[in-house]
Amino acid sequence: VCQNGSVTVTARLSPNDTYEWYEVGVGLIAGNQSFITQTIPANTQFVLRAIDYKGCDTYDTMNVTTFSM
C-alpha cells in the first residue's frame, strides 16, 4: 500500500459471529463489522477477533506494509 493510502480488510465468517478489529499500538478500532477501511500512514498490524455464538474466540493477524512514492 502506498504511504497514506487506504486499505480494506474483510473477514468472512459465520453470520452469527461477532467481530472486533484492533490496530496494534492503538487498540480497538471497530466492533461487530465484517470489514474495515483504514488510511495507512506507516507499516501497520491489524488483529481480528471473531467470537462465535458459543463465546469461543479466535484471532487472525494482518500485516500491512507501506511504500513511499
Side-chain angles (χ1 to χ4, degrees):
V1 173
C2 290
Q3 202 169 26
N4 295 311
S6 67
V7 64
T8 299
V9 183
T10 303
R12 296 186 186 218
L13 299 172
S14 169
N16 295 324
D17 291 346
T18 56
Y19 308 88
E20 294 176 349
W21 293 92
Y22 297 86
E23 185 174 339
V24 174
V26 174
L28 181 69
I29 57 172
N32 207 27
Q33 53 189 73
S34 61
F35 70 94
I36 56 170
T37 300
Q38 295 290 113
T39 299
I40 309 297
N43 293 346
T44 303
Q45 188 175 55
F46 296 107
V47 177
L48 168 65
R49 178 183 181 207
I51 306 134
D52 70 13
Y53 70 96
K54 295 178 186 176
C56 298
D57 59 356
T58 188
Y59 295 85
D60 196 6
T61 303
M62 291 132 288
N63 295 305
V64 179
T65 303
T66 60
F67 299 93
S68 58
M69 296 297 287

